[in-house]
Amino acid sequence: YKIPNRENIFEAFYNVLSKPFTKIFLKTKFTPNSITIISGMFGLCACYLITLNSNETRIVAFLFIQLFALLDLVDGDIARKRGLTSNFGHWLDIFFDKLVEVLLIAAFVYASFQKSDNVLSLLLGGGIITFHLLIQYLMIINQLHFQKSKKNTSNKILNDSGANKKIITQIVINLIRFVELHLTLKHSTLLFLISFFVLLNHHLIGLYVLMLMSLYTLSFMCLYNFFLIKD
């Protein structure tokens, strides 16, 4: 029931902001699953508001995405504090996470195309969604097969290194971990970037950024997995 460390910089940011919400919901009779559903509804409403593509709705969409991200952390914290963790709750949380992610990208692409009438928006959007789905597949593979291998591989590399190389090896390993945690397109990172570009009303630039980050994340995860397989 221990609350996990929020190591990703964006997740840590949302985690700090979610603490007051957790205290408020602990005083109510809301169950973790009901909070998950409320969080998901905020996310789905944000997707719809993005497609309307007006100055008023994009501000509300930005706020709804933030509420979705915050409550997405609150439900798990409350489940652990009250001892109400369950397989169904875990599934429900992942279901809304991935559903909202894909719909947010689709809504963002639609808003960009509606605004600019540029086919490039659709091409970029198709690429982002394709890469995003492949990234999710690799994340599943990582959790099923390589979760223990990551730690064992790092320890093996350090043990096999000479005394003079251990410091350099540790720096390289820490750098890889830093890149994986902060510079790849994780759930909180995606939510922050989309909401940021929605608020600024710069959809096409946002698509370029998301495309580059999704391509980079996919390439990084593939190379990392091949490294673990080789080991």
Side-chain angles (χ1 to χ4, degrees):
Y1 299 123
K2 182 182 177 183
I3 296 175
N5 294 325
R6 313 296 184 180
E7 296 177 322
N8 173 268
I9 186 171
F10 295 105
E11 190 176 36
F13 169 74
Y14 283 124
N15 185 57
V16 172
L17 297 180
S18 71
K19 295 304 181 184
F21 290 89
T22 301
K23 292 180 180 179
I24 292 171
F25 276 104
L26 279 173
K27 297 177 181 179
T28 68
K29 294 183 179 180
F30 282 98
T31 64
N33 289 346
S34 63
I35 297 172
T36 301
I37 294 172
I38 294 170
S39 170
M41 291 301 105
F42 275 120
L44 294 176
C45 288
C47 296
Y48 172 71
L49 291 172
I50 289 172
T51 63
L52 298 180
N53 213 8
S54 68
N55 290 331
E56 295 78 13
T57 56
R58 64 187 174 87
I59 295 174
V60 179
F62 171 82
L63 294 175
F64 277 13
I65 294 173
Q66 308 315 307
L67 288 171
F68 166 71
L70 294 174
L71 295 180
D72 187 37
L73 297 175
V74 170
D75 58 1
D77 289 351
I78 288 180
R80 295 180 186 93
K81 287 179 180 293
R82 290 180 176 174
L84 296 175
T85 56
S86 66
N87 289 331
F88 175 72
H90 185 58
W91 175 88
L92 190 67
D93 184 63
I94 294 175
F95 170 78
F96 274 113
D97 281 356
K98 302 313 169 187
L99 176 65
V100 172
E101 283 179 7
V102 173
L103 291 180
L104 273 177
I105 296 172
F108 193 69
V109 172
Y110 175 80
S112 177
F113 178 72
Q114 188 182 42
K115 180 181 176 182
S116 63
D117 198 24
N118 191 340
V119 179
L120 181 61
S121 298
L122 300 179
L123 295 175
L124 288 170
I128 292 168
I129 291 177
T130 301
F131 290 147
H132 183 71
L133 294 177
L134 289 172
I135 289 168
Q136 302 311 306
Y137 170 75
L138 288 177
M139 287 176 64
I140 294 171
I141 296 299
N142 281 339
Q143 289 195 351
L144 290 176
H145 299 290
F146 297 133
Q147 205 63 276
K148 293 181 180 179
S149 298
K150 289 181 182 180
K151 185 176 181 181
N152 294 336
T153 300
S154 299
N155 293 335
K156 183 177 182 297
I157 291 172
L158 284 172
N159 292 333
D160 292 346
S161 301
N164 296 330
K165 294 182 179 180
K166 280 192 175 182
I167 296 177
I168 297 176
T169 305
Q170 184 65 64
I171 292 173
V172 172
I173 290 174
N174 289 338
L175 180 61
I176 292 173
R177 287 173 178 167
F178 179 85
V179 170
E180 182 187 15
L181 284 172
H182 304 296
L183 303 180
T184 54
L185 199 60
K186 293 182 178 293
H187 176 68
S188 297
T189 310
L190 176 66
L191 296 180
F192 180 85
L193 288 175
I194 288 182
S195 63
F196 176 75
F197 286 110
V198 165
L199 185 63
L200 293 183
N201 201 24
H202 291 316
H203 297 84
L204 191 57
I205 296 175
L207 288 177
Y208 277 117
V209 172
L210 290 175
M211 183 67 174
L212 289 173
M213 285 202 68
S214 59
L215 179 59
Y216 156 76
T217 301
L218 181 62
S219 302
F220 176 84
M221 293 182 72
C222 285
L223 290 173
Y224 195 22
N225 280 0
F226 281 128
F227 175 74
L228 293 173
I229 291 169
K230 182 177 179 295
D231 180 73

